[in-house]
Amino acid sequence: MTDPSPESALGQKSFTIAVCGGGIGGLALAIGFLRHDVPFHLYESAHAFAEVGAGISFGPNSLRAMSLIDPKVRQGYGKRATSNAYKEKEAVWFDFLAGMDCGIGKAGEKVATVIAGGTGNSSIHRAHFLDELVALVPYKNVTFGKRVMEVEELEDGVRLHFADGGKAEASAVVGCDGVKSNLRHIVLGKEDETAHPTFTGKYAYRGLIPMEKAVGLLGDDLARNSVMWLGNHAHVLTFPIEKGEIMNVVAFCTKKNGKWENEKWVLPMDREDMERDFQDWGESVKKILGLMEKPDLWALFDYPHSKTYFKGRTCLSGDAAHASTPHQGAGAGMALEDAYVLSSLLGAVQKSSDIESAFRAFDAVRRPRTQKLVTTSRDAGELYELEEEGVEDDADKLRERLSTRYRWIWEHNLEEDLAEAMGMLGGKA
């Protein structure tokens, strides 16, 4: 059985790209291809576009990447995004408070405030952002129910082999298939340890609270603005989504034995387990956890640093390349940055024989930054849970770390990255 393959139209490139994965990263890449007249077809393993999870935050770098991919992406995001309710907190990323009586203070005491200039805490429901991206991609360019199992190298392209027995051909393929990526196995080889995700030793309870209920128990300030509650071996963050109608809650914990034994990574939450995990915490945190509706338990995995993001005509992007923990709110933003750089590079390619050079330039420019995110996000989780060596529960050292650690993410010049990659490719940004 042969499945739809990308086709070139008049005015487009003579080559074609298969995009595997229809999450935020894959759709953003597809939108970039549309803007650069790069013919593509997107293959999604599910039977419809869908995002798992609730709230997601984007920093200043992410919003710039949206505009660079296509201003329509930023416009769509802006229609659905939510920020802190108080004007005086519109630039605040998070207020950091002690969530329990511990070395950094009594429960409820403020420890630090981190400012994210220009955006503050900018958040959206994942499904709603996905809807905005989907609206920009023609359905004729998408096929559902297609999970790639193998990529066969051809003389001038690739042949994709899907789980249902179908096949499709393209000049190259980009794997945007997430933290359980099959394309990563193909690029690195299944025997490579870095091809497989690693449990980070942390798990999280995720849920939502109607804002009226949250305000009733916590008060207006704590409920309607972004707060991170810090404590020993756990931390809790809350921020508004749905234009302030809903409070998004994520409560992180450290797994004592450091192992994840269940084959499933998302489980129904056992409320007694959660209450036991936070039994020594302050009343505000206990109130938040008590109000969570339909919470799930998520194991947090990331990818070890790999030696490359591409092999021949197969390239990895987004979580398939550099899945990270969410502790810096930057994973999805890095996928948007990837989409901008990769779509622009392939937009500058004139013939299929140069695609591999574009992948090589992408790898050289993007891998150091994105792998740094994986490492520093793990570090951030330890910092929030008073576990970082040399800091622990020293409030002054904690404040110092928090005041500077995000700048390299938020203040990065993505257009300079593209110029560097274009120089490697021999083109001009």
Side-chain angles (χ1 to χ4, degrees):
M1 180 172 68
T2 302
D3 289 292
S5 296
E7 296 180 357
S8 294
L10 188 64
Q12 289 185 319
K13 311 290 182 182
S14 59
F15 58 84
T16 59
I17 305 294
V19 178
C20 295
I24 289 171
L27 286 166
L29 182 62
I31 293 164
F33 285 157
L34 287 167
R35 198 171 185 207
H36 290 285
D37 292 322
V38 175
F40 73 92
H41 198 87
L42 191 154
Y43 302 96
E44 165 55 35
S45 61
H47 292 282
F49 289 120
E51 268 288 344
V52 178
I56 183 172
S57 292
F58 290 98
N61 61 305
S62 309
L63 301 191
R64 289 194 299 273
M66 291 179 198
S67 298
L68 290 168
I69 294 166
D70 189 321
K72 293 176 184 176
V73 174
R74 177 70 179 270
Q75 291 164 10
Y77 175 81
K79 286 191 299 184
R80 311 293 286 270
T82 301
S83 300
N84 287 328
Y86 286 18
K87 186 167 181 59
E88 62 267 28
K89 294 194 174 185
E90 62 184 12
V92 171
W93 186 55
F94 276 100
D95 281 325
F96 291 80
L97 278 62
M100 63 190 305
D101 293 344
C102 56
I104 59 172
K106 294 288 187 182
E109 287 184 10
K110 183 180 287 189
V111 180
T113 295
V114 172
I115 302 298
T119 63
N121 190 296
S122 184
S123 307
I124 194 170
H125 195 295
R126 283 177 176 270
H128 293 165
F129 186 43
L130 200 77
D131 289 344
E132 295 298 328
L133 297 177
V134 167
L136 299 176
V137 178
Y139 262 78
K140 65 182 178 65
N141 289 68
V142 179
T143 302
F144 294 106
K146 296 296 174 184
R147 182 166 179 78
V148 177
M149 304 305 292
E150 295 179 32
V151 176
E152 179 185 353
E153 291 274 351
L154 305 176
E155 185 176 346
D156 187 31
V158 294
R159 180 178 293 125
L160 310 181
H161 295 259
F162 299 107
D164 65 358
K167 301 174 184 178
E169 293 183 8
S171 304
V173 56
V174 180
C176 301
D177 50 341
V179 70
K180 295 184 178 181
S181 170
N182 277 344
L183 273 294
R184 189 177 177 94
H185 296 164
I186 291 162
V187 169
L188 300 174
K190 286 186 178 180
E191 69 286 350
D192 189 325
E193 288 186 0
T194 69
H196 305 278
T198 302
F199 180 56
T200 65
K202 308 282 186 187
Y203 58 94
Y205 301 101
R206 302 187 185 210
L208 304 172
I209 300 174
M211 188 59 75
E212 286 187 7
K213 288 185 178 181
V215 169
L217 275 183
L218 297 172
D220 212 58
D221 186 0
L222 292 178
R224 296 188 185 278
N225 301 293
S226 51
V227 178
M228 199 177 301
W229 304 84
L230 310 182
N232 297 322
H233 312 301
H235 71 284
V236 178
L237 59 84
T238 66
F239 55 84
I241 59 173
E242 301 286 329
K243 298 296 183 183
E245 295 296 315
I246 299 290
M247 173 194 274
N248 187 73
V249 183
V250 191
F252 298 90
C253 289
T254 300
K255 190 90 160 46
K256 290 180 180 177
N257 67 1
K259 299 177 182 178
W260 189 258
E261 293 88 0
N262 200 306
E263 62 180 21
K264 294 182 179 180
W265 295 2
V266 180
L267 303 170
M269 188 273 288
D270 185 317
R271 193 167 287 275
E272 289 185 3
D273 286 345
M274 184 173 68
E275 290 173 354
R276 192 178 305 114
D277 282 338
F278 289 90
Q279 63 184 353
D280 298 325
W281 284 62
E283 287 306 307
S284 291
V285 168
K286 288 180 178 178
K287 287 176 181 178
I288 291 167
L289 301 182
L291 283 175
M292 287 171 68
E293 296 185 354
K294 300 178 181 178
D296 292 320
L297 174 66
W298 293 59
L300 301 183
F301 284 75
D302 62 13
Y303 272 132
H305 295 350
S306 64
K307 61 184 180 295
T308 184
Y309 285 172
F310 82 103
K311 176 185 176 184
R313 296 283 185 91
T314 303
C315 188
L316 304 173
S317 184
D319 278 356
H322 46 76
S324 69
T325 50
H327 302 310
Q328 297 182 113
M334 286 291 172
L336 295 176
E337 290 188 4
D338 285 352
Y340 166 65
V341 173
L342 188 53
S343 64
S344 299
L345 282 169
L346 289 171
V349 167
Q350 299 303 317
K351 54 186 187 296
S352 60
S353 57
D354 290 333
I355 291 175
E356 192 170 336
S357 296
F359 286 169
R360 183 174 292 107
F362 172 80
D363 176 68
V365 168
R366 293 298 299 161
R367 186 156 46 88
R369 174 166 166 80
T370 53
Q371 289 183 343
K372 181 179 179 180
L373 180 80
V374 176
T375 299
T376 58
S377 291
R378 276 209 189 203
D379 294 343
E382 293 182 356
L383 182 68
Y384 304 154
E385 301 186 1
L386 315 184
E387 299 168 339
E388 183 175 301
E389 187 175 348
V391 179
E392 284 91 20
D393 61 357
D394 186 314
D396 290 334
K397 290 181 179 179
L398 177 62
R399 271 189 288 272
E400 184 182 353
R401 285 279 203 281
L402 290 171
S403 68
T404 58
R405 66 170 297 113
Y406 311 100
R407 291 177 185 170
W408 73 273
I409 301 173
W410 295 339
E411 298 174 4
H412 189 70
N413 190 323
L414 196 55
E415 290 166 294
E416 287 183 2
D417 276 2
L418 179 59
E420 181 184 352
M422 286 290 192
M424 297 176 190
L425 189 60
K428 295 180 180 179

